[in-house]
Amino acid sequence: MKRVLLLLLLLGVGVTPPVYAQDLVNGALTALGGAEALAQVKTLVVKGTVRYWEPEQSMVAGGEPRHAADATFEMTGDFTTHAIRVDWVKNFLYPSPRTFQFSEIMTPEAGYVIGIDSNGRNKQNRETNPPGHIMSGLRFTATQRELRRASPALLLEMRNHPGQVSASPGITIGAVSYPALTYQASPYTFIVMFDPQTHLPVRIRTLDYDNIWGDSTYDLTFADWRKLGGVQTATSQNYELNGKVVAEIKITDVSVNAPLPTDRFEIPAALQGTAPKPASGNVPYQWVLRRQFIGTYLDSDNPSFDTRATDGLKLTEVAPGVQHAVGGSHNSLIVELGDALAVFDAPVSDGQSNWTITAAQAKYPGKPIKYLVLTHHHMDHVGGLRAYAAAGATLVVGKGNAEHFRKVLAMPFTRNPDLPSRDLSKTNVVEVADKYTISDGKRQVTAYLAENPHANGMLIGYVADAQLGFVTDLWSPGPAPLPDKITPALAAVVNTVKKAGITPLKFAGGHGATSDYAPLAALAGN
Ligand SMILES: [Zn+2]
């Protein structure tokens, strides 16, 4: 071992003089106006706008990312108490047009949401008047990471903790090779890249796990530097997932050391109480952050269900030999065959899939899951596909989607918290051009391609002997009443049923529960 190290030293490989790291930090601090000036910043008010995109809620798998929301924000930070408040107005375009106006308050111990910020409101938010809730430990840890990544104080931290800063191999993006440092800011690890010309920080990277693309890079980029409120500010900041822009931030206004109203960081009485512990270990950062980008995040310490409202996931028998995996925000359907099982949808994460697979195996011992039918490619309904592929299941996907899923399954996933890394590139993927039937000689389980406004290659499931359908996102069967008028999404369900010539009595949903089909058919005028 010693000899290897000596050889590396002689070759000068992988070893950089410690002074190099601090040169980069000091060069950046100078370019930012000097460490002294930055250290004088006690309060900061930043105003700007954000546009959000979600690549894995696209119309076409692997196609143009979905433009999800446009927002304005005003962020107030107190560097003495480390309290931060962000007032948001978010105008969402997807999954439905709506506006959420709310505030987030972060202290070093806990995070708070004042107002409504999601369609997936947790129990505390629904039961508090006016609405609000204490952030889950997952959201607290993820939010703190992003505040820290974006903070002008990050470089001061790096200067003050040289033992946590180490040289990293240069990173080439486009035609430029950027010198880089790794900063261990426990529990976070940031890779900070510097502009070789201006010495300014240009990009701060974390290595994340994405439930679709596996091992992923998540970067905050800095550009268009201008002096605002007396401090050098990157007025254009983008978040990039694997090089694709998912959030575009424009900073329009900065004021430094303005006196702050005393009630700026006041927590409403209804929200005072014991906050969840900050999450440690594996935090599904991409899930926690990007579900907020589309306004559907369920703020809970289990990504699959509201820990404050339910004991967890459970199986509900919806027909003989058919189990609906419910209890969370997203459901699967398990169908028993003679000597095997077929499952519809693999929502959220391999953590949820592990639960569903274990429950299915306990219910139907000795019957392997031979088929995983994916209704559509959106990340919230397929993010747990790897656990099924690892169990040997054949993937059944809609027209035009096979190539996308083969690419997804070929990606490495060493950072997946729920599944050990392995080669899934040989997984069998079947594409449904019109319909595809799985049969054991008695039971027939069919996936029908649905013309629809939500996602290309959408499938609707049908268990013929049970006269039971399975539908995701076009309709969420359950206690929620049908609208007064048919929508294009609901019409797509009815049209697919008609075209297929099937006669469902009930539908189970990828969201919600089960409902009779007749009222929907009646609404469509059938
Ligand atoms: Zn969807």
Side-chain angles (χ1 to χ4, degrees):
M1 185 63 203
K2 249 186 186 155
R3 212 173 303 161
V4 173
L5 192 65
L6 184 68
L7 188 65
L8 287 174
L9 278 170
L10 288 171
L11 290 171
V13 173
V15 179
T16 314
V19 63
Y20 169 79
Q22 286 310 309
D23 282 351
L24 285 176
V25 172
N26 289 328
L29 282 168
T30 303
L32 285 167
E36 294 312 311
L38 274 177
Q40 293 310 310
V41 177
K42 301 299 178 201
T43 72
L44 194 62
V45 180
V46 178
K47 293 180 192 172
T49 62
V50 193
R51 305 183 82 196
Y52 296 100
W53 288 269
E54 174 48 65
E56 301 312 323
Q57 296 285 345
S58 53
M59 189 69 201
V60 178
E64 201 177 307
R66 188 85 70 160
H67 182 194
D70 294 324
T72 60
F73 70 90
E74 178 173 333
M75 174 158 66
T76 308
D78 184 330
F79 284 80
T80 315
T81 59
H82 300 284
I84 291 172
R85 177 185 175 119
V86 191
D87 297 310
W88 289 102
V89 180
K90 287 193 182 176
N91 293 303
F92 291 93
L93 303 128
Y94 181 86
S96 60
R98 71 245 187 247
T99 297
F100 291 141
Q101 185 166 355
F102 62 98
S103 300
E104 294 173 292
I105 295 179
M106 300 292 294
T107 74
E109 290 80 35
Y112 303 86
V113 176
I114 302 168
I116 297 170
D117 69 332
S118 174
N119 287 50
R121 295 166 70 190
N122 67 18
K123 186 169 187 273
Q124 189 186 17
N125 192 285
R126 281 184 274 112
E127 292 180 355
T128 304
N129 191 10
H133 68 273
I134 308 180
M135 285 184 191
S136 63
L138 288 178
R139 178 165 175 179
F140 174 80
T141 298
T143 307
Q144 286 288 25
R145 184 180 83 166
E146 297 317 320
L147 290 171
R148 203 142 164 209
R149 190 197 306 248
S151 170
L154 190 82
L155 281 153
L156 281 179
E157 271 187 47
M158 291 171 75
R159 185 192 67 161
N160 296 340
H161 301 96
Q164 290 159 234
V165 178
S166 56
S168 174
I171 296 170
T172 302
I173 296 167
V176 184
S177 173
Y178 296 97
L181 298 176
T182 299
Y183 175 40
Q184 299 288 350
S186 180
Y188 315 118
T189 302
F190 296 113
I191 300 166
V192 184
M193 295 172 228
F194 298 86
D195 188 312
Q197 251 84 54
T198 65
H199 309 295
L200 287 163
V202 72
R203 190 178 281 261
I204 301 180
R205 170 169 292 180
T206 52
L207 301 177
D208 287 4
Y209 174 72
D210 174 59
N211 63 359
I212 301 302
W213 294 107
D215 294 349
S216 294
T217 57
Y218 193 55
D219 294 356
L220 179 61
T221 68
F222 303 102
D224 301 330
W225 290 86
R226 279 168 45 204
K227 210 160 195 177
L228 288 185
V231 289
Q232 281 296 338
T233 306
T235 58
S236 295
Q237 304 188 9
N238 288 350
Y239 274 106
E240 292 183 5
L241 176 72
N242 296 320
K244 266 188 192 165
V245 175
V246 293
E248 185 184 275
I249 304 161
K250 299 286 182 210
I251 292 179
T252 51
D253 201 73
V254 174
S255 61
V256 173
N257 294 342
L260 303 177
T262 47
D263 61 355
R264 213 59 202 113
F265 304 106
E266 211 166 88
I267 311 302
L271 300 185
Q272 290 174 11
T274 314
K277 279 209 173 77
S280 57
N282 289 310
V283 175
Y285 288 104
Q286 288 304 317
W287 179 263
V288 175
L289 297 170
R290 280 160 54 212
R291 293 295 285 173
Q292 292 180 58
F293 289 6
I294 66 169
T296 57
Y297 178 57
L298 170 62
D299 195 354
S300 165
D301 274 315
N302 189 306
S304 294
F305 59 88
D306 185 356
T307 53
R308 286 179 256 206
T310 137
D311 294 335
L313 304 174
K314 61 179 184 193
L315 296 186
T316 299
E317 186 157 285
V318 288
V322 185
Q323 305 288 329
H324 204 192
V326 294
S329 56
H330 296 70
N331 311 326
S332 293
L333 191 77
I334 302 160
V335 186
E336 183 188 23
L337 299 157
D339 58 357
L341 303 175
V343 173
F344 285 83
D345 280 353
V348 184
S349 67
D350 288 315
Q352 177 157 342
S353 296
N354 289 339
W355 183 91
T356 306
I357 291 169
T358 303
Q361 298 301 332
K363 192 84 191 171
Y364 305 111
K367 296 194 176 185
I369 299 169
K370 277 202 183 156
Y371 300 94
L372 172 66
V373 185
L374 296 173
T375 56
H376 66 303
H377 68 279
H378 289 170
M379 52 96 111
D380 53 328
H381 296 283
V382 306
L385 86 166
R386 289 182 175 85
Y388 290 93
T394 289
L395 249 61
V396 179
V397 303
K399 191 176 175 180
N401 284 335
E403 190 54 40
H404 168 77
F405 282 106
R406 286 195 189 102
K407 249 192 239 170
V408 166
L409 287 166
M411 300 305 282
F413 55 96
T414 62
R415 298 196 280 271
N416 186 337
D418 303 309
L419 194 71
S421 181
R422 72 185 78 189
D423 180 9
L424 297 177
S425 63
K426 308 289 187 293
T427 304
N428 191 23
V429 182
V430 172
E431 195 172 278
V432 182
D434 177 33
K435 65 174 182 172
Y436 181 79
T437 298
I438 300 161
S439 177
D440 61 2
K442 276 198 246 160
R443 169 162 268 182
Q444 296 211 326
V445 183
T446 304
Y448 292 96
L449 193 74
E451 290 258 356
N452 78 99
H454 186 73
N456 282 17
M458 174 71 89
L459 298 175
I460 286 177
Y462 189 58
V463 184
D465 63 275
Q467 290 184 277
L468 175 77
F470 182 75
V471 59
T472 297
D473 284 356
L474 299 176
W475 176 29
S476 295
L482 287 166
D484 295 335
K485 272 178 72 182
I486 193 93
T487 63
L490 292 172
V493 178
V494 177
N495 291 339
T496 305
V497 165
K498 269 200 280 183
K499 184 169 171 254
I502 54 178
T503 52
L505 295 175
K506 278 181 186 298
F507 264 88
H511 295 287
T514 53
S515 281
D516 290 338
Y517 175 66
L520 176 60
L523 183 69
N526 291 273

